[in-house]
Amino acid sequence: MLSGKYYKSVSKSILVVVLIIIIVVGISVALMLSKKPQTTSTSQTTSTSSSTTSSSTTTSTSQTTSTSSSTTSTIENSLSPPLPESYSALTNVPIMVEINQVQNGYYAMLFDGAGNEYKVTSQYTNVSFNYPGQYLIYYNLYNSNGAYVGSSLSNLIEIIVAPNVNSSYAPLITVPVITSNKGPVINVGETVTLNAGYLQPPSGQNITIKEYVWNLGNGTVLTIPSVNATGYITQVVKTGSGNTTYLAPQENPINITFTKPGLYPVSLTIVTENVSNGKLYNYTTYKTFAVYSSNYPFNLYSPQVSVPNQGVIVDAEVVPGGPFTFDPDLFPDTVSNEIINNVYGALLWYYQSSISKFVPMIAEYIPTVGNWSNVTARYTYGAISPNYTVYIFKIRPGLKASNGDPITAYDVWYSMIRALVCAGGIPAGSGTNLAPFTVPNYTLFTFIVTSPNDSLGAKEIMESVSYNNQTNTVTFHLIQPVTPIFFFNMMATFDYVMDAKWLNQVGDGLNLTGYYNNNYTQLAQSFYQYQQTCIAGNYNTNVQWPAPNAGFTGPYYIASFTPGQSVVLKPNPYWPNNITYFPKPNETVIVDWVKDPTTAINMLASGQADIVTFPKSSPAPYLPTLLQLQSQGKIKMYNEPSLNEWWFAFNLNISVPLLKQINPSYSIPSYYFANPLVREAFAYAFNYSEYINDVLGNAKYHVNLGNPWCGILIPGLDYSIPPSELTGCPTFNLTYAKQLMEESGFYNITVNFPIIVSSGDTVDYTAAEMWAQALHEIDPNINAQPLYMPFSTIISYLIPGQNPLPVYYLDWNGIPLTWYWLPFIYQQGGIYPAPDGWDVGYLEQLSHQFNSTNNTYVGSLMWQEAQQYKQLNNLIVQADLADEEGWSNATQIIHDAQQLAINQYQFVYVVIPSKFWILGSYMNAYQNNLAWQSNPAITNGLESFFWWWEKP
């Protein structure tokens, strides 16, 4: 039966009156056993009815076929299942399926769950799927005379198929998601609720979601338009971001009831449209339902009943936009870093949640001082010189990249040299964490080779690290003593190993001719040229987004990547099975970057995901739903503290032309936030207690979702400075905030600008709304609005001198060393200061500019600010040395640096969030110990190390 204004039947015979259920009695109910069922293609869209409806329930009649057996009671339904080589597949990539009963003239008809059947005459056959989804497969067996023998319908196999969309088509489409409250095996007459969703909205210019097309697998098709497709694009054009609720289907969910048993390939096609030229695009997802009756007892193969999608781990991450790069030597944001951690091996790794104990990965042993005195031991097990300036690592023998290339000490050395060459990348590369310890007088966040003839810089790079293929060792040569715990912590940020042969094959190799010719001027020229590829916009895309045949050196390799939406990782076939604590993985991993929490949670509740994480937002608004699922035994949650802090960052040098490209109506002077009193006023206009208690929800949900903080030296760092030991930490005080704005000299400037929040982060969008209202109260000239923006887009804008974001919400997490926090967040050239305009010269220039227009008051503010920032930079250099070398007065120096930074109001410090692991009830951590996944130094963005997840 059909009801609702959007339903359209392919066969007029099944069009009936709304809400009347057709019950077919006395008809021999049939299965798809011997004849291919009629299906309806969803590659073309259907028209939309204009009538109205009050119901979303459809009763469908199966288009199944008769068996060749006349008596259903004699059917053998429990033949052994078809055996796929994997329970996961990629679209349009064949997988082999074995049916071992096909022998001695017997043959099978294999049903693929997508409405297709194949005649199989040998034990092995290949099956491929055009679209992603969850498919049920089974077969019927026939003897050499064509007589029906039996079926495996009581041993259905479920295969999960991941998308594999190329980079040119991906921006034009969105990957649909089907979730249901029941299934995949349901009873005849049982109502199932189907939800339509998608991973990410289309990212292409002028692309919107036009409509959703359901094909119920029985010839019934319904088309549901989106809420406001044109309105979404209009918002994008005007504001730079659209309301994604406009992209939702006008009717969702729908209910469906099947009146006959059978295998139903339900599909959802999302049609996208380029509103500028009317071109349509589409992409489809399938979900097979097996409708059970007593005569036709469909059932999942028993091992798949309690654990969905065996052999596959699906991680649904609420982080719209996906990663920035998969190149480990470039900017290591948390979303990218998760994939990098899994596909590139590292010399060593943290042991469980410890920040002082390490285990070897690509290295065979952890080097020790004790091995130094014995030369044989030094190169057999690795060693550290007694003065802590030489670190020798023995490389594990027999390692191979996923493409079969041998990985030796040379590859490790090559990787470290490449990291050093890219140290000054924009955004900063990982090599900037190694260079201070190996390159004399290195300035953080800068390239070591400063000009094409900088032979000294080239030589310093080559003298930083050496290798010996005969002993299979790599040696780091430090310019000053660094204790093992400090150096090993730092290594966690740069010790990824790449396949040198593969880098050269894809045009990203280092030209080392000058080194081999002992011509460092020639080497400097090649390094200087190579450095340009370490700047965003110039990246080698073969390394930024590597193909499956790349040389991945970790436990997994990237089998497929759909830009911005999902990635598929498969086990590295050459990963050893004898590395202690690093087991050889068996499962395929699918990471879906999901637009909103509701879709991710629905995926988990329906068995389509095994893990849900909120790397860049809070799960607070969804806690009631999650707690209910946990009480039902469907999921389990773990709440733990983090080494992570979030804040609103101010941009002192706004790229106004780029800002107007986001929204032409935005208007703000580029230097608006260079005024220190303006920033201080904004800081006092934020309601910190309201945020923690009600917006985040500690008081509302009676759960510790996060804690307020002031400054960046949070608990867990080697030097943590509590706010009680600092002065000038702002509190919510609108009277004082207004006074500051009036004193700033900018009170009479009318501004209209966005406060940028990561897409999907509903909590901090609400906080930005609250803040914007308070700002307008203290100064009616301030017109601010929150604006959603994908995380990867925010990162892409953080280019010095080209950053259009006036205020944006972002975070920092990392290793537990103050050395890693102070310079990156505060020091000139750092990850935040560089794109945010914190530059002494720029501030002094602004001072002169205001003085030249007789605005000496503001000019004086700018000059004082420049001198204070110069002082802060010098103090941070001292603090870094104090932390690194353990000075007796380190605490006082670090405290003074933090206090000076507080006084400059570079940020509005918001929260140290608690982190939540949200898992299927059957999921376990390695050795049943979540500490393997909970190291505070590297999992604060909830990055999974998938080899340390266990799925039965």
Side-chain angles (χ1 to χ4, degrees), residues 22-30 61 64 66 259-261 295-296:
I22 296 178
I23 304 175
V24 181
V25 181
I27 299 176
S28 177
V29 181
T61 305
T64 56
S66 301
T259 62
K260 287 185 178 182
N295 288 333
Y296 300 97

Side-chain angles (χ1 to χ4, degrees), residues 848-906:
H848 294 313
Q849 179 180 324
F850 278 98
N851 288 336
S852 67
T853 59
N854 294 321
N855 193 342
T856 56
Y857 174 72
V858 173
S860 176
L861 287 177
M862 300 285 189
W863 182 262
Q864 292 173 12
E865 179 178 41
Q867 304 319 302
Q868 289 174 350
Y869 189 52
K870 185 185 297 183
Q871 181 184 356
L872 176 59
N873 285 322
N874 293 333
L875 202 52
I876 288 174
V877 172
Q878 295 299 305
D880 286 349
L881 288 172
D883 186 21
E884 180 184 331
E885 299 178 4
W887 293 1
S888 59
N889 60 344
T891 300
Q892 185 60 52
I893 295 174
I894 291 169
H895 172 277
D896 292 347
Q898 177 63 95
Q899 181 63 69
L900 189 52
I902 291 293
N903 296 343
Q904 293 203 301
Y905 297 94
Q906 295 189 17

Side-chain angles (χ1 to χ4, degrees), residues 406-422:
I407 299 301
T408 67
Y410 173 80
D411 296 277
V412 178
W413 170 80
Y414 195 96
S415 301
M416 299 305 107
I417 297 299
R418 181 178 186 266
L420 287 169
V421 172
C422 285

